[in-house]
Amino acid sequence: MGSKRSPAATLRRLVVYVGLLSACSAPTHAWRGTAYESPQRAPNISLETTHGTPFSLENFRGKVVLLYFGYTYCPDVCPATLAEMKRLFEALGDDSDRVTFAFISIDPERDTPDRVREYLDRFHPTFIGLVGSTEKVKRVGDQYDVYIEREESDDPSNYLISHTARVFIIDTGGRLRANYTFGTSAEAIEADVRYLLDEGG
Amino acid sequence: MSSMRSLKRSVLAVALLASACTSGPKKLQLENPWAHPANVGGNSAVYFRLVNPGPADILVHAESAVSAEVSVHRSAQDEAGVVRMIPQPSLEIPEGGTLDFQPGGLHLMLTNLTRTLLPGDEIEITLTFEIAGPQTLVAKVLAR
């Protein structure tokens, strides 16, 4: 009789074991985007901001950086993505101070720095615009596995560009962690941004 | 009994009149139209829901004073996440069908804007259908 435990006592012990077990296992994050299996340092971005200053990812350590390759003549997916990024920044509230969004223009021929600045200001004044020569933009795009192809039209001055419409996310330590296909909601990206902000401390 | 009969007649007459007033051609509905802001010389897109309670129809033409050209495109994303625009030169609207024009999908593309579209502006687009004829759409410019 003395060695037998009551069902309540057994249950209590079980709860303690489960608690210990969960404390031992590393917390896993369910990424809303496509996560990189072994995250590497994000490729450098040797471009200029719309204010004419050189851009370097090194200057953004401690922040989560979101990157998008687009162009201001883009009629559909680029403004839709920027509107989603605006919603994301609004949802982040004060935490948006620790997040940077950078728009890399893939249309050096038409996207002047002023045009890109004016375009981004319509969505959010903190959004950074990055510009550079066709060769420089292509080099950055290749490093992020971004496809860029100009589609010729009857009017040579009004062409469209087919392009990778993913948003890339870089953690506070400068590592490329995940990307999001077009159509991923601000709420989904916010969950990953908050995880990376917590992880960064 | 005769007053009851006359009441029945009156009810029937009112019902017939009411149905005569509401019947007629079933019109296409263009719901909640909006457009992206964009610079003069640039491009934008218009989105809305098209509800067709009538017979099958075809969108044959679109034009607006705010752009050199209005065309129908569908954005398509492949497995690699690359988005391409696919022109839809003549768009079929099925009988009793609904088509959603939405970001990243079907949209009216405004090419080479004649003026800057700022949030809050309203722009007019005329869509011409084979059966329903010309229909005017007033879209609000929204940064969303």
Side-chain angles (χ1 to χ4, degrees), chain B residues 32-45:
Chain B
N32 304 320
W34 66 281
H36 286 302
N39 289 340
V40 61
N43 306 323
S44 181

Side-chain angles (χ1 to χ4, degrees), chain A residues 89-159:
Chain A
F89 272 59
E90 286 167 355
L92 285 167
D94 290 344
D95 290 329
S96 67
D97 291 348
R98 297 168 63 202
V99 182
T100 295
F101 173 76
F103 175 92
I104 297 174
S105 169
I106 55 169
D107 190 8
E109 209 170 293
R110 294 180 297 183
D111 278 349
T112 62
D114 285 349
R115 189 180 173 92
V116 174
R117 187 67 262 147
E118 190 183 11
Y119 181 76
L120 294 177
D121 280 345
R122 290 217 183 99
F123 294 95
H124 206 286
T126 68
F127 288 177
I128 294 174
L130 299 177
V131 292
S133 65
T134 305
E135 294 73 28
K136 281 185 175 178
V137 170
K138 189 182 179 311
R139 202 173 305 140
V140 176
D142 285 347
Q143 286 179 304
Y144 282 85
D145 205 15
V146 165
Y147 175 89
I148 304 166
E149 188 188 2
R150 181 166 153 168
E151 305 288 350
E152 298 305 334
S153 70
D154 297 340
D155 176 2
S157 67
N158 209 319
Y159 50 87

Side-chain angles (χ1 to χ4, degrees), chain B residues 96-135:
Chain B
T98 297
L99 288 181
D100 281 320
F101 288 66
Q102 57 192 1
L106 201 58
H107 58 275
L108 290 180
M109 192 195 293
L110 307 180
T111 314
N112 201 354
L113 292 165
T114 55
R115 66 175 178 87
T116 295
L117 306 185
L118 294 171
D121 288 354
E122 287 191 335
I123 57 170
E124 249 183 45
I125 299 120
T126 303
L127 303 178
T128 306
F129 297 89
E130 201 168 73
I131 294 171
Q135 310 277 325

Side-chain angles (χ1 to χ4, degrees), chain A residues 6 41 50 63 72 83 100 113 196:
Chain A
S6 71
R41 191 164 166 260
T50 49
K63 286 193 170 197
T72 70
T100 295
L196 291 181

Side-chain angles (χ1 to χ4, degrees), chain B residues 1-122:
Chain B
M1 278 303 274
S2 68
S3 68
M4 193 60 160
R5 205 172 293 143
S6 91
L7 180 67
K8 274 184 185 169
R9 267 197 216 112
S10 302
V11 168
L12 190 64
V14 168
L16 280 171
L17 276 171
S19 74
C21 292
T22 53
S23 67
K26 289 175 180 171
K27 289 186 80 177
L28 284 173
Q29 290 148 35
L30 308 166
E31 299 173 351
N32 304 320
W34 66 281
H36 286 302
N39 289 340
V40 61
N43 306 323
S44 181
V46 181
Y47 310 101
F48 53 98
R49 169 171 276 193
L50 193 161
V51 181
N52 178 24
D57 210 337
I58 297 173
L59 174 62
V60 288
H61 184 70
E63 63 180 37
S64 174
V66 302
S67 68
E69 196 184 342
V70 183
S71 52
V72 183
H73 282 77
R74 187 189 294 277
S75 293
Q77 181 170 221
D78 68 16
E79 283 177 3
V82 176
V83 174
R84 290 182 174 81
M85 297 277 192
I86 301 158
Q88 314 280 306
S90 76
L91 186 70
E92 287 185 27
I93 299 114
E95 179 182 1
T98 297
L99 288 181
D100 281 320
F101 288 66
Q102 57 192 1
L106 201 58
H107 58 275
L108 290 180
M109 192 195 293
L110 307 180
T111 314
N112 201 354
L113 292 165
T114 55
R115 66 175 178 87
T116 295
L117 306 185
L118 294 171
D121 288 354
E122 287 191 335

Side-chain angles (χ1 to χ4, degrees), chain A residues 23-94:
Chain A
C24 291
S25 62
T28 53
H29 174 66
W31 287 92
R32 272 56 164 198
T34 306
Y36 293 92
E37 275 184 23
S38 29
Q40 304 290 319
R41 191 164 166 260
N44 201 20
I45 298 166
S46 303
L47 297 171
E48 285 196 347
T49 70
T50 49
H51 300 295
T53 53
F55 178 82
S56 172
L57 276 174
E58 299 283 336
N59 298 336
F60 292 87
R61 292 289 186 267
K63 286 193 170 197
V64 167
V65 178
L66 294 153
L67 282 182
Y68 183 72
F69 295 76
Y71 64 116
T72 70
Y73 284 74
C74 173
D76 182 35
V77 293
C78 305
T81 301
L82 285 167
E84 214 57 31
M85 290 296 108
K86 176 189 166 193
R87 290 210 312 119
L88 167 67
F89 272 59
E90 286 167 355
L92 285 167
D94 290 344

